[in-house]
Amino acid sequence: MDAAIEQFLMLEEYPILDVRAPAEYESGHIPGARSLPLFSDEERHQIGLCFAQKGQSAAVRLGLELIGPKLGSLVDRARAWAPLGKVGVYCWRGGMRSGSMAWLLETAGFEVVRLPGGYKSYRTNLHAFFERELPLVVLSGPTGTDKTGILASLAARGEQMVDLEAIAKHKGSSFGSIGEAQQPPNEHFQNKVFEAFRALDTSRRIWIEDESHSIGKVRLPDGLYAGMQRSPWIWVDRPFEHRLDLLVQSYGSAPISELQMGVERIRKRLGGLECDRALQLLEGGQLAECAALLLRYYDKAYRFGTEKKRAELGRVVHTRSVSADAIALEIIESLQTK
């Protein structure tokens, strides 16, 4: 990572202020940064039109007219967030908007640090970070294995892990949105994944769950996904009946309407007859029978997509343990044997 950006992100006593327009902030921002927009979305649009039609000088003049009445409130908001009078500031490229805000706050007595290159440089460094060879270990296994629970147990035993599904607010399957909050914008999801990795020691192994390139509506950084395909895998082989019990426990209290929508989303891949049968079982309250039908479908699809990688990169941990903690211990023990 660029040293200047690393130093900026380590300003623990400096609240970070994002001075871009609200829509830019909502799409993605440095996690933890507060939104203190110099211009509203509409004002930013007006300035852009002015620049295109009349040039830079006219656009700057319009910007000054728009910001003038807001100067006092901007300082007041910054002071409420930064009582020590120290802030970090960034805009898109580290140009006029962050420069103007820095001038205003410095005039009001703040100590201000600007991010060189702005948010754009942060995103560039994010992608560069994931192009590195990271010490990933991919936890894999068929649907219902409770990979998330096993990851949590590995972390409790001192291992490093990143829970991608928790950050994505999606469990990864057609039913993955059930019981979850709204997913973050794709850009901000990637930022939060980046921050999760930055908090870890990249000289030690980092556990991560086997995922598709997309988790619901968000997408993993390309470099991270490519690295996962090259990294060693641990395949957890749990009995079908154990996995079925876990699925029924996980989704047993979900609204039938949401389960039906999940089934409909895979109608084409499941096949019309099987899809109709699954829906009939749901309507009849036969959740276990429906889950068994769907689990056989997912097992077939998962096996087709992972057999080659398992053969090349992985090892299998066969287990009949019920608890995630016991399975985590078996996995660690398996890594200690050649």
Side-chain angles (χ1 to χ4, degrees), residues 79-151:
R79 199 173 300 284
W81 290 330
L84 298 179
K86 300 177 180 180
V87 293
V89 172
Y90 70 89
C91 61
W92 170 234
R93 290 190 178 88
M96 292 185 67
R97 286 185 288 178
S98 62
S100 298
M101 185 67 80
W103 170 84
L104 171 63
L105 296 179
E106 286 171 345
T107 301
F110 284 78
E111 182 179 327
V112 182
V113 177
R114 291 171 64 192
L115 175 59
Y119 179 70
K120 183 179 180 181
S121 66
Y122 174 82
R123 290 288 298 176
T124 298
N125 276 265
L126 178 154
H127 291 296
F129 178 89
F130 287 118
E131 291 297 330
R132 299 165 49 188
E133 287 296 327
L134 297 169
L136 303 176
V137 181
V138 181
L139 183 66
S140 190
T143 301
T145 300
D146 190 21
K147 296 183 283 291
T148 299
I150 296 169
L151 282 177

Side-chain angles (χ1 to χ4, degrees), residues 63-81:
L64 291 172
E65 291 177 1
L66 292 171
I67 196 176
K70 299 187 287 186
L71 295 179
S73 64
L74 289 171
V75 171
D76 290 343
R77 290 175 64 191
R79 199 173 300 284
W81 290 330

